[in-house]
Amino acid sequence: ADEYAGWDGSADGYFYTDNLHPGSSNFNLAQELIVNCYPDTTQYPYPAAAPLTGSKLLTTTAGSFTDGSRPESPYADNMDYTWTIHPAEEDIQAISLQIRYDLSDGDTLTITADNNTIVPLCLTGDSASVNVAWECEEIVCHLSTHQNSELRKGIRVNYSCQMDAYCSGVQTMTTPTGTFTDGSGDKPYRNLTTCKQRIMVNGSNTAVRVHITDFNLEEGHDFLHIFKTSYTDANLLMSLTGTIADTTFVFDTRRINFLFESDEQNTSDGYTISYTGGTVGVDDHVKEALSVWPNPATTRLHIVSEELIHEVRIFDMQGRLVIGSAPKSLEADLSVQDLHTGIYTIIVLTEDSCHQQKFIKQ
């Protein structure tokens, strides 16, 4: 495969994708551009198009399928194949199809829906594009071809689903206390979700305490990003993913922005978060049996307990002990400056109990 390089007359040319070093330099993410990328058909010729027979169930909320022929080549004879579009999501309102077809007379693509009020569509003997949006939960596409001598290109179908969005747009919360979620209730959240939620606490409050009660997102793919004041990279405080146990963060700002994003595959239960506006200080924290702050932390972590602290242990997400301390006091002050950015678990052993909490190292 080849790639064209050079943006301003420097190192113009074609380069193999396994040897991208124009002008003895490497591409960076701002420069990469792949166009007209094809296999080497001299050494690796395209296989002949094989007739499709059988069926396939499509359960995603968006996708595409073809007759199996390669680009600009005729489709195979004697095909009998069925695609059933039946998304696994609940509350499907409509399914949209974008169809491009080039079929010989007698060869057909028949499209039916599980809604009896929708008239089936039969495409044959023509070259055209058709778009439909049907209020249904299932669509069946059946392709049938016969022996003929015409060179036609076949079919390509793209589909997508229309569903109610659990969480969309911007939700703004201005009350001193409140609770918000991903909006899915007792159902999994949607794929391809983009949702903004803002806490804008007015008055004398100088900080917001955020309490995560439930949090379960697809690890490494779906994220809840938390920003200070605005949705910019410079104001990003943390990005949360995966499963997080009952955890509290304290942010020294009256305005916090949340951005929830999910990708195109797999979902989970979502999140439930409560918040309280207040002020940051020791007096606020010692009201609790055990307090750990600031969270997120950058250089130091403070711990205050109503019981004598015998031991403090901090573990990374792989379960490795990274910090250990035995303060023998009601307070502890730990340096976390050398820890890598990420989520850590802190375990505090007191006279009669064991406390566990997560914190973010920025």
Side-chain angles (χ1 to χ4, degrees), residues 85-134:
I85 303 171
H86 189 100
E89 296 274 3
E90 298 182 11
D91 305 323
I92 300 293
Q93 294 181 340
I95 301 177
S96 298
L97 301 180
Q98 295 177 316
I99 308 163
R100 289 185 296 171
Y101 70 98
D102 182 19
L103 296 173
S104 300
D105 289 331
D107 294 344
T108 60
L109 176 65
T110 305
I111 304 171
T112 58
D114 62 350
N115 183 342
N116 292 331
T117 65
I118 297 176
V119 178
L121 186 63
C122 184
L123 307 176
T124 185
D126 198 0
S127 178
S129 296
V130 176
N131 296 331
V132 299
W134 288 348

Side-chain angles (χ1 to χ4, degrees), residues 10-319:
S10 174
D12 289 344
Y14 287 86
F15 302 85
Y16 284 100
T17 52
D18 61 355
N19 187 25
L20 297 178
H21 305 290
S24 300
S25 300
N26 290 323
F27 279 103
N28 61 43
L29 291 178
Q31 296 171 323
E32 294 175 6
L33 173 65
I34 296 180
V35 295
N36 299 327
C37 187
Y38 300 106
D40 184 338
T41 54
T42 300
Q43 297 187 55
Y44 307 100
Y46 278 115
L52 294 177
T53 57
S55 62
K56 184 172 185 178
L57 176 64
L58 304 172
T59 59
T60 58
T61 56
S64 64
F65 56 87
T66 73
D67 58 83
S69 61
R70 60 183 184 263
E72 307 302 323
S73 297
Y75 58 83
D77 296 332
N78 303 316
M79 287 194 287
D80 184 10
Y81 200 82
T82 300
W83 296 267
T84 300
I85 303 171
H86 189 100
E89 296 274 3
E90 298 182 11
D91 305 323
I92 300 293
Q93 294 181 340
I95 301 177
S96 298
L97 301 180
Q98 295 177 316
I99 308 163
R100 289 185 296 171
Y101 70 98
D102 182 19
L103 296 173
S104 300
D105 289 331
D107 294 344
T108 60
L109 176 65
T110 305
I111 304 171
T112 58
D114 62 350
N115 183 342
N116 292 331
T117 65
I118 297 176
V119 178
L121 186 63
C122 184
L123 307 176
T124 185
D126 198 0
S127 178
S129 296
V130 176
N131 296 331
V132 299
W134 288 348
E135 294 183 359
C136 62
E137 296 182 351
E138 179 181 284
I139 288 180
V140 176
C141 301
H142 178 245
L143 176 65
S144 176
T145 69
H146 304 85
Q147 191 77 33
N148 64 76
S149 59
E150 287 192 86
L151 300 179
R152 295 295 189 103
K153 297 178 182 178
I155 66 163
R156 178 177 180 84
V157 179
N158 298 321
Y159 74 90
S160 60
C161 298
Q162 179 182 339
M163 301 170 290
D164 282 332
Y166 291 142
C167 181
S168 62
V170 181
Q171 176 188 2
T172 301
M173 295 153 284
T174 59
T175 57
T177 62
T179 299
F180 60 96
T181 73
D182 62 277
S184 63
D186 57 357
K187 300 176 182 178
Y189 55 82
R190 302 284 195 205
N191 287 314
L192 299 174
T193 292
T194 299
C195 177
K196 293 182 178 180
Q197 296 163 308
R198 301 185 299 184
I199 298 174
M200 301 177 65
V201 180
N202 299 319
S204 60
N205 299 296
T206 60
V208 176
R209 184 190 300 267
V210 174
H211 181 204
I212 297 177
T213 54
D214 296 290
F215 193 95
N216 198 334
L217 306 183
E218 185 191 6
E219 178 77 38
H221 295 275
D222 301 338
F223 292 89
L224 181 66
H225 306 288
I226 304 178
F227 300 84
K228 181 178 180 179
T229 67
S230 63
Y231 295 98
T232 63
D233 290 343
N235 286 317
L236 180 64
L237 297 172
M238 64 181 71
S239 295
L240 306 179
T241 187
T243 300
I244 299 177
D246 192 293
T247 301
T248 299
F249 303 119
V250 179
F251 301 99
D252 58 344
T253 177
R254 290 184 295 182
R255 178 172 176 173
I256 304 174
N257 292 340
F258 298 82
L259 174 61
F260 173 45
E261 294 182 312
S262 63
D263 66 2
E264 71 281 358
Q265 296 186 62
N266 303 322
T267 61
S268 193
D269 296 332
Y271 57 84
T272 300
I273 298 174
S274 60
Y275 72 92
T276 303
T279 58
V280 175
V282 174
D283 291 342
D284 295 312
H285 293 278
V286 296
K287 294 177 183 177
E288 303 176 359
L290 180 78
S291 296
V292 178
W293 84 96
N295 193 358
T298 54
T299 57
R300 308 201 70 80
L301 197 65
H302 307 284
I303 304 169
V304 175
S305 173
E306 292 182 350
E307 300 176 344
L308 189 69
I309 301 174
H310 287 282
E311 190 174 355
V312 178
R313 303 171 186 169
I314 296 179
F315 297 86
D316 63 16
M317 293 302 289
Q318 285 72 47

